[in-house]
Amino acid sequence: MSDNNATVRFHFFDFIFTPHKGNESMEDSNRILKECIQKINDERTQKQKAIVIDRHEGRKDVESRNIFISSVAFLAKEKKFKCRIALIRDNKIPTLVNKSTYSLTPFDELGDNSIAETTNFYIDVNGPVPVVCCEFNSQGPRISDIEYYFRYISSNKMLYISKACKASMHMKLPVNEVLDSITDVLKFKIKAKPNRLSYLYQEIADPFITNMNALANTIKPNSIRVDAFFRERGNLDVKTPKNIQAVSFIKRVLNAVKNDNEVIEDFEDFYLEFEKEDGSDEIFNLVRGKQEIIISCSYRTPGNLDTKELYDNTTMAFDTYLSNRNN
């Protein structure tokens, strides 16, 4: 791979909308998605502005998270939407660095302009449910941002055509499969930022998370990790009782993940070794267990990817992934 090329990771999710009762014209997720995109494009063409949504609106003591779709185009031959979502970084303006002297200059004279982080994503609408191939950008908009944005537009706050919108992540080992088969916990590892633990407790409501939060508050670490060991993999000692409390805790976590993608983002790491109903052992990794493709792409200008090349390279791998998944 050339030093001039970037390595870009993409993850996948199904985009599932639930129409309002009595709204028979919006009977499937593809139709609702297209109506949302039409609304986004109409705003662009008719009013020359984007639909900007603050995902953190109404939250106390939380910085705003203003997101908007900056571009969306339909490629009829491939039956795919090519999209880009942006996150406005008003709360964290970067600093310019002189590459000759490595001196820093504040970037604070933007006037009416703002800095934005962008994430590319592509939506395939060939099947019964839209499938999204989304760039992983740790600094920019995430999958949960895309989910929130389209949920807002389709909801009674705007179009009133959907009562729910769910981005269902593609995992190497699906969450439902773990929930259906787990009978005992052998080992787990949890790592999180202390400031995310209170949000995790709201979603999971388990004393274990409360205790992690209390422990973190005593010494104020940047992150906290808990490793719990119960018994070794492959140990078939029938005298060892099942750890019902650990199984219950893991099921609470996985059900929260299943219901809300934002829970995934609250973890820096979540690793699980467990026993299945048939007595075999299995490993589940929430953070590193997502289905993904890795794409090489050149830069159009320093720091800016060639988005046409990125799409061309990604869509071939995307099609291969969908073909293998469907077969």
Side-chain angles (χ1 to χ4, degrees):
M1 185 182 298
S2 169
D3 291 339
N4 295 324
N5 281 11
T7 297
V8 187
R9 294 179 180 271
F10 283 85
H11 297 132
F12 305 95
F13 63 89
D14 292 337
F15 226 160
I16 303 170
F17 293 85
T18 304
H20 283 288
K21 287 184 178 180
N23 196 353
E24 290 79 8
S25 64
M26 295 290 124
E27 72 281 359
D28 62 52
S29 293
N30 280 319
R31 183 72 182 272
I32 294 174
L33 173 70
K34 291 174 183 177
E35 289 291 321
C36 292
I37 290 174
Q38 185 65 51
K39 174 65 176 177
I40 293 167
N41 281 335
D42 285 347
E43 201 77 9
R44 278 280 187 195
T45 57
Q46 296 173 14
K47 300 182 181 179
Q48 289 76 52
K49 67 177 185 178
I51 300 173
V52 180
I53 299 170
D54 181 5
R55 185 176 163 187
H56 291 165
E57 184 179 7
R59 294 191 190 181
K60 293 183 178 179
D61 304 320
V62 177
E63 292 180 348
S64 61
R65 189 172 180 86
N66 289 303
I67 51 178
F68 65 97
I69 299 291
S70 58
S71 66
V72 56
F74 184 62
L75 294 94
K77 184 178 179 181
E78 295 94 337
K79 292 189 71 175
K80 288 182 175 64
F81 288 99
K82 180 181 178 183
C83 315
R84 177 180 283 189
I85 186 170
L87 167 66
I88 300 174
R89 293 183 57 185
D90 282 336
N91 300 311
K92 191 176 182 182
I93 303 300
T95 300
L96 295 177
V97 58
N98 184 307
K99 290 185 178 180
S100 298
T101 63
Y102 291 96
S103 59
L104 298 176
T105 304
F107 200 177
D108 56 4
E109 296 183 3
L110 294 171
D112 291 334
N113 299 304
S114 289
I115 302 297
E117 290 280 355
T118 59
T119 297
N120 297 287
F121 65 101
Y122 316 120
I123 311 174
D124 183 279
V125 291
N126 283 285
V129 172
V131 180
V132 182
C133 179
C134 180
E135 174 190 2
F136 173 72
N137 180 355
S138 60
Q139 300 299 318
R142 303 184 289 256
I143 287 173
S144 59
D145 291 312
I146 298 171
E147 177 189 63
Y148 184 89
Y149 192 85
F150 280 93
R151 180 188 298 135
Y152 187 100
I153 290 176
S154 65
S155 73
N156 56 5
K157 295 179 179 178
M158 198 161 288
L159 290 179
Y160 206 85
I161 55 177
S162 173
K163 62 181 180 181
C165 169
K166 172 66 177 173
S168 181
M169 287 289 303
H170 291 193
M171 306 291 293
K172 295 172 185 175
L173 180 61
V175 171
N176 276 339
E177 190 172 323
V178 181
L179 284 167
D180 291 341
S181 64
I182 186 171
T183 59
D184 200 11
V185 176
L186 309 180
K187 170 185 175 181
F188 67 74
K189 176 171 63 180
I190 294 176
K191 184 179 179 182
K193 295 284 188 184
N195 64 347
R196 301 305 303 169
L197 289 171
S198 58
Y199 296 103
L200 271 173
Y201 180 75
Q202 292 174 23
E203 297 297 330
I204 298 171
D206 190 278
F208 188 87
I209 301 298
T210 304
N211 291 334
M212 280 185 69
N213 195 27
L215 182 62
N217 286 335
T218 61
I219 52 176
K220 307 296 183 183
N222 288 327
S223 62
I224 184 168
R225 191 179 91 178
V226 175
D227 290 11
F229 301 86
F230 302 93
R231 60 185 172 87
E232 296 298 323
R233 294 180 65 195
N235 185 348
L236 301 178
D237 184 358
V238 295
K239 296 180 182 178
T240 304
K242 307 290 186 183
N243 193 315
I244 304 303
Q245 294 92 340
V247 172
S248 177
F249 167 65
I250 293 299
K251 284 188 174 183
R252 284 196 187 97
V253 173
L254 294 181
N255 275 306
V257 167
K258 180 180 171 182
N259 294 327
D260 187 352
N261 278 308
E262 192 169 359
V263 176
I264 300 177
E265 297 167 3
D266 289 335
F267 289 104
E268 289 190 296
D269 195 9
F270 182 91
Y271 173 90
L272 168 70
E273 294 180 11
F274 66 99
E275 183 179 277
K276 300 169 66 175
E277 287 179 327
D278 61 5
S280 63
D281 299 339
E282 186 64 90
I283 293 175
F284 174 79
N285 195 315
L286 179 63
V287 178
R288 297 175 180 83
K290 299 170 187 162
Q291 293 281 12
E292 70 174 13
I293 54 176
I294 300 174
I295 304 298
S296 175
C297 179
S298 61
Y299 291 101
R300 187 178 68 252
T301 58
N304 293 306
L305 294 171
D306 185 327
T307 54
K308 182 182 184 305
E309 179 186 322
L310 183 64
Y311 173 78
D312 291 341
N313 292 350
T314 304
T315 193
M316 290 189 292
F318 189 12
D319 286 342
T320 299
Y321 170 80
L322 290 174
S323 178
N324 292 337
R325 184 169 184 259
N326 292 335
N327 290 333

